[in-house]
């Protein structure tokens, strides 16, 4: 419940202005609930219109992306780039290619990105972009033509000191490569720092591929230690099977846990012996096949239709790493009833508000994605650092920096939670710690 009058007024304005943006409104409301304690203490923010400016993107670009398929048929998709907040650094945030992409989704992601990037301690503002293009079932040539068309418009809005995109759902190394190639051709310069997630032969960083998933586990491990627990011997569900889920699962095993279930958007696999990641990586990375293939090839494993059903699998720790709102209240209640003690978000906003309330209300450990998955963008920042100094660090160096960043994010969240009188509340801590730095910078820079 938000009691602060100023926040309630701004929230009502946002709802009235953008009634058709449910994901964005959900993200704003969740953040506001955490912020009221600090907004209460800063009456000067209202006069400066700080919160009104915080919820309104600095710039939004929407554009036509025409492309021709292998049969010569023309398609038109819609491209987006939301440059949300540049108070602490150039806009930074991924590009998502998925049919569900619309302005609401990109705005919610961009809004969350402001706080996430602030938490990394690196100088990065918040932005996000993408398209409603569906890469599934497309040939490499079609993907290339789409990426080239997308970049033919996007290039004029980005740059290492302005806005630096990266990957997200549906955008991996292949797509980043095609987009970087087109950018380089148009501007006739090798601006390595303009996009991150690049291949290793042309400016990418070692450990970037693993960073988001590993970072989630490093952060979760700190939370577990703080609560006198560990991954050792725990049965873990990692939903999704994309970039984030794959490397999250790998690190869970390295930390002594056992991942017993994973999913894609059609269904989930359950393997009581622990998911064999060699098989899973081959299915997803080399064959780009459905996750159901795993159950055909691994004895003792089973496949169940319906991705949301994954939460019926008994586990100790649930790590949703697929997409927004993938765990609803019903799913959360199953996880709780089965005796889990923690839900650690890996994806962006994977729990609905009802699910968050259920999980927190039942006393489970809970971490928000904006803190736990910040290792991805942090390592993108490290990729840009390497591009700037024209050097590349070893896997171990990057991994160590990532680990330290995740520890410092945990410490920042913990400190903010203690200052707000709720020690260990990671949701409150992440929102407050992320916001305070941005607020201070925005106040210092005047009404812009
Ligand atoms: P990918 O495209 O690599 O993978 C997404 C995976 O999630 C796919 O396996 C997809 O299945 C599956 N999926 C989608 N919707 C659902 C659903 N409702 N239930 C179960 N599975 C589903 O994306 P990423 O791994 O990169 O991103 C995952 C999440 O992490 C997103 O929220 C993203 O914003 C966030 N994130 C990603 C970062 C990164 O570095 N990549 C950084 C920070 C956050 P299918 O193949 O069937 O579509």
């Amino acid at each position: 419940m938000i009691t602060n009058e100023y926040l309630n007024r701004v929230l009502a304005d946002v709802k009235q202005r953008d009634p058709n943006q449910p994901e964005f409104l959900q993200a704003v409301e969740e953040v506001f609930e955490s912020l009221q304690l600090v907004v209460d203490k800063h009456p000067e923010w209202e006069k400066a219109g700080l919160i009104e400016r915080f919820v309104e993107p600095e710039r939004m670009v929407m554009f036509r992306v025409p492309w021709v398929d292998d049969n010569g048929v023309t398609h038109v998709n819609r491209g987006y780039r939301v440059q949300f907040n540049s108070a602490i650094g150039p806009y930074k945030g991924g590009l998502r290619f998925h049919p569900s992409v619309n302005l609401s989704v990109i705005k919610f992601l961009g809004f969350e990105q402001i706080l996430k990037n602030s938490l990394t301690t690196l100088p990065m503002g918040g932005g996000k972009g993408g398209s409603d293009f569906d890469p599934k079932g497309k040939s490499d040539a079609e993907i290339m033509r789409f990426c080239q068309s997308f970049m033919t418009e996007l290039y004029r809005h980005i740059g290492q000191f302005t806005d630096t995109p990266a990957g997200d759902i549906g955008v991996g190394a292949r797509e980043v490569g095609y987009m970087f190639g087109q950018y380089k051709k148009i501007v006739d310069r090798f601006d390595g720092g303009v996009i991150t997630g690049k291949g290793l032969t042309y400016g990418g960083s070692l450990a970037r591929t693993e960073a988001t998933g590993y970072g989630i586990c490093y952060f979760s491990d700190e939370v577990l230690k703080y609560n006198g627990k560990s991954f050792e011997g725990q049965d873990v569900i990692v939903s999704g099977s994309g970039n984030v889920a794959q490397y999250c699962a790998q690190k869970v095993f390295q930390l002594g846990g056992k991942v017993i279930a994973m999913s894609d958007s059609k269904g989930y696999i359950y393997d009581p012996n622990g998911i064999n990641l060699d098989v899973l990586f081959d299915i997803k990375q080399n064959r780009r096949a459905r996750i159901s293939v795993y159950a055909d090839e691994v004895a003792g494993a089973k496949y169940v239709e319906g991705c949301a059903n994954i939460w019926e699998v008994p586990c100790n720790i649930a790590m949703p790493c697929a997409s927004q709102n993938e765990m609803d209240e019903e799913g959360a209640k199953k996880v709780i009833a089965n005796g889990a003690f923690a839900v650690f978000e890996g994806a962006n906003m994977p729990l609905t508000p009802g699910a968050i309330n259920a999980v927190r209300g039942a006393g489970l450990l809970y971490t928000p994605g904006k803190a736990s998955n910040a290792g991805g963008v942090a390592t993108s920042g490290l990729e840009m650092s390497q591009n700037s100094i024209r050097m590349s660090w070893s896997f171990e160096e990057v991994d160590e920096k990532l680990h330290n960043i995740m520890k410092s994010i945990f410490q920042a969240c913990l400190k903010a939670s203690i200052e707000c009188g709720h020690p260990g509340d990671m949701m409150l801590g992440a929102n407050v710690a992320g916001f305070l730095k941005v607020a201070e910078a925005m106040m210092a820079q005047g009404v812009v």
Side-chain angles (χ1 to χ4, degrees):
M1 249 274 284
I2 300 169
T3 50
N4 181 283
E5 261 181 47
Y6 175 37
L7 286 174
N8 269 327
R9 179 167 58 74
V10 178
L11 184 61
D13 287 349
V14 177
K15 283 181 176 170
Q16 197 191 12
R17 187 177 272 178
D18 296 314
N20 302 319
Q21 298 181 356
E23 293 85 0
F24 176 57
L25 296 175
Q26 182 183 334
V28 169
E29 194 156 359
E30 186 228 282
V31 169
F32 277 16
E33 276 180 28
S34 299
L35 292 189
Q36 44 189 342
L37 285 166
V38 284
V39 174
D40 281 343
K41 289 188 200 145
H42 289 275
E44 75 280 11
W45 287 351
E46 185 166 359
K47 193 166 171 228
L50 182 78
I51 304 294
E52 291 90 326
R53 290 189 281 131
F54 178 58
V55 295
E56 187 63 20
E58 291 175 18
R59 186 179 297 112
M60 293 185 275
V61 190
M62 286 168 64
F63 51 95
R64 180 173 73 201
V65 190
W67 58 281
V68 180
D69 70 19
D70 290 345
N71 298 317
V73 178
T74 300
H75 302 262
V76 178
N77 284 95
R78 185 171 284 176
Y80 301 86
R81 188 70 187 167
V82 171
Q83 299 179 328
F84 220 119
N85 192 301
S86 62
I88 64 168
Y91 312 107
K92 174 108 198 88
L95 296 170
R96 176 177 293 191
F97 292 168
H98 193 271
S100 64
V101 162
N102 56 36
L103 192 56
S104 173
V105 168
I106 298 297
K107 277 181 70 182
F108 118 66
L109 290 164
F111 182 69
E112 294 276 288
Q113 197 82 42
I114 305 169
L115 301 172
K116 181 188 307 196
N117 292 1
S118 167
L119 285 170
T120 64
T121 69
L122 302 175
M124 301 183 291
K128 198 85 187 186
S131 174
D132 56 3
F133 172 74
D134 187 357
K136 276 210 188 66
K138 305 289 189 297
S139 69
D140 273 358
E142 288 171 331
I143 298 281
M144 182 179 75
R145 288 195 290 275
F146 176 82
C147 289
Q148 290 175 340
S149 180
F150 186 83
M151 186 52 84
T152 300
E153 172 58 33
L154 188 70
Y155 89 93
R156 69 190 84 242
H157 308 290
I158 60 177
Q160 62 165 320
F161 299 112
T162 337
D163 184 359
T164 52
D168 190 72
I169 291 180
V171 179
R174 175 181 58 167
E175 291 74 17
V176 168
Y178 291 146
M179 286 190 276
F180 179 68
Q182 182 72 353
Y183 180 85
K184 186 165 65 70
K185 172 136 182 120
I186 294 172
V187 302
D188 199 17
R189 273 194 317 272
F190 194 105
D191 270 352
V194 74
I195 189 166
T196 56
K198 298 182 292 297
L200 293 177
T201 50
Y202 59 95
S205 173
L206 284 162
R208 172 62 188 94
T209 307
E210 294 81 357
T212 308
Y214 280 18
I216 293 163
C217 294
Y218 293 148
F219 184 85
S220 305
D221 201 33
E222 293 301 308
V223 174
L224 287 169
K225 275 192 240 158
Y226 178 74
N227 289 281
K229 296 180 188 296
S230 79
F231 273 111
E232 195 67 49
Q234 311 293 355
D235 282 348
V236 182
I237 297 177
V238 176
S239 67
S241 50
N243 169 266
V244 176
Q246 288 170 24
Y247 292 99
C248 177
Q250 188 175 68
K251 189 53 78 176
V252 167
F253 278 115
Q254 288 173 10
L255 293 173
K258 182 165 80 166
V259 179
I260 50 168
M262 295 182 75
S263 56
D264 65 16
S265 59
K266 296 275 184 274
Y268 77 86
I269 50 164
Y270 170 67
D271 186 342
N273 301 314
I275 303 284
N276 181 328
L277 289 185
D278 289 338
V279 176
L280 184 94
F281 280 25
D282 180 50
I283 291 169
K284 300 307 292 186
Q285 296 182 5
N286 302 332
R287 292 188 261 165
R288 292 183 187 265
R290 307 296 327 172
I291 204 167
S292 57
V293 171
Y294 182 93
D296 300 335
E297 297 182 0
V298 178
K302 69 169 182 175
Y303 173 72
V304 179
E305 285 286 338
C307 53
N309 293 325
I310 194 170
W311 309 121
E312 69 198 12
V313 176
C315 70
N316 306 112
I317 301 174
M319 303 181 79
C321 291
S323 197
Q324 66 268 11
N325 293 330
E326 55 167 306
M327 187 194 285
D328 60 10
E329 190 172 341
E330 198 191 327
K333 283 184 174 158
K334 285 182 192 157
V335 171
I336 297 163
N338 282 331
F341 67 82
V343 176
F344 296 142
E345 292 189 350
N348 285 313
M349 207 167 76
L351 270 67
T352 63
I356 295 177
N357 287 339
V359 165
R360 283 161 57 91
L364 274 67
L365 301 178
Y366 166 75
T367 57
K370 66 171 75 72
S372 59
N373 70 28
V377 70
T379 308
S380 279
L382 299 178
E383 181 176 330
M384 290 168 72
S385 304
Q386 294 169 79
N387 296 150
S388 294
I389 59 172
R390 294 168 187 275
M391 286 179 66
S392 48
W393 298 323
S394 68
F395 186 97
E396 290 70 26
E397 278 175 287
V398 179
D399 190 37
E400 193 189 339
K401 286 184 185 9
L402 165 68
H403 201 157
N404 286 333
I405 289 171
M406 298 317 295
K407 283 183 184 170
S408 75
I409 294 176
F410 169 73
Q411 286 302 333
C413 295
L414 181 63
K415 182 166 171 273
S417 73
I418 292 169
E419 283 166 7
C420 289
H422 297 274
D425 183 333
M426 290 291 118
M427 179 169 150
L428 178 69
N431 286 330
V432 169
F435 178 73
L436 283 177
K437 181 173 166 191
V438 176
E440 197 179 320
M442 287 178 75
M443 290 299 284
Q445 292 167 26
V447 179
V448 289

